Amino acid sequence: MDNMKRRIFLGLLSVSIAGCTATGAPSNEDSPNHQIMDTQFTLVDPKERSNPDESDVDNRFQHTANVQFNTTKNQIIVKGRLKSGSRSCMETVLESASYNEKSDTLTVVVSDNRDESATICTEEISMVAYESTITFDSSLPGTVVVKHQSEDQEIVFTDSFTQ
């Protein structure tokens, strides 16, 4: 195997091994100066994002998000829970992270997409906890908008956070 084919193979292998962790900078069409330097997205244990003392069962199964502005590292950290259908055939991903310079707003979209390779889908409803870190090259945006998108591209949750 020549070096080029080996690099392609190893690159594809590392993507498939990474599983639920994604890094890199999604396309940033709203920002001509590309202020987003890096993004990371990881699915985490749902128990870390739920309150076991929560007495209201309805609140346990609601979309949530929380944003931290880390000015020391120029990072926005989004922690949330997305209400999802069958985990046997759904995949939760960072759909986009885009910065709009005019409004000084970062918009983060987390999406629940159908895994087309799945052959059997179960019918359970679950909460998918995630954490995403968006690193900027300099100062942080004044506003962060977090959106959750269903498999049919419908926005099912939106929340806004300011520094």
Side-chain angles (χ1 to χ4, degrees), residues 116-128:
E116 298 300 328
S117 66
T119 56
I120 298 175
C121 293
T122 56
E123 294 295 323
E124 81 279 1
I125 300 292
S126 63
M127 297 307 295
V128 179

Side-chain angles (χ1 to χ4, degrees), residues 6 12 16 19 36 49 52-53 70 80-82 90 96 101 103 108 112 114 124 131 133 143-144 151 161:
R6 184 180 356 263
L12 291 172
S16 64
I36 295 175
R49 299 284 175 261
D53 297 328
N70 185 333
R81 286 190 333 238
L82 181 132
M90 300 299 286
S96 64
E101 189 172 355
S103 65
V108 176
D112 213 23
R114 183 165 296 281
E124 81 279 1
E131 183 172 319
T133 303
T143 303
V144 176
E151 69 176 293
F161 304 87

Side-chain angles (χ1 to χ4, degrees), residues 57-86:
V57 175
D58 290 335
N59 284 339
R60 287 187 197 176
F61 293 99
Q62 296 296 316
H63 293 267
T64 64
N66 185 24
V67 171
Q68 297 171 354
F69 293 81
N70 185 333
T71 55
T72 306
K73 294 183 178 182
N74 291 328
Q75 293 179 329
I76 298 292
I77 301 160
V78 180
K79 296 178 180 182
R81 286 190 333 238
L82 181 132
K83 186 176 179 180
S84 177
S86 173

Side-chain angles (χ1 to χ4, degrees), residues 23-29 34 36 38-40 94-98 134:
T23 60
S27 68
N28 204 0
E29 297 170 6
H34 303 291
I36 295 175
D38 187 44
T39 62
Q40 295 179 339
L94 176 63
E95 190 70 33
S96 64
S98 59
I134 298 96

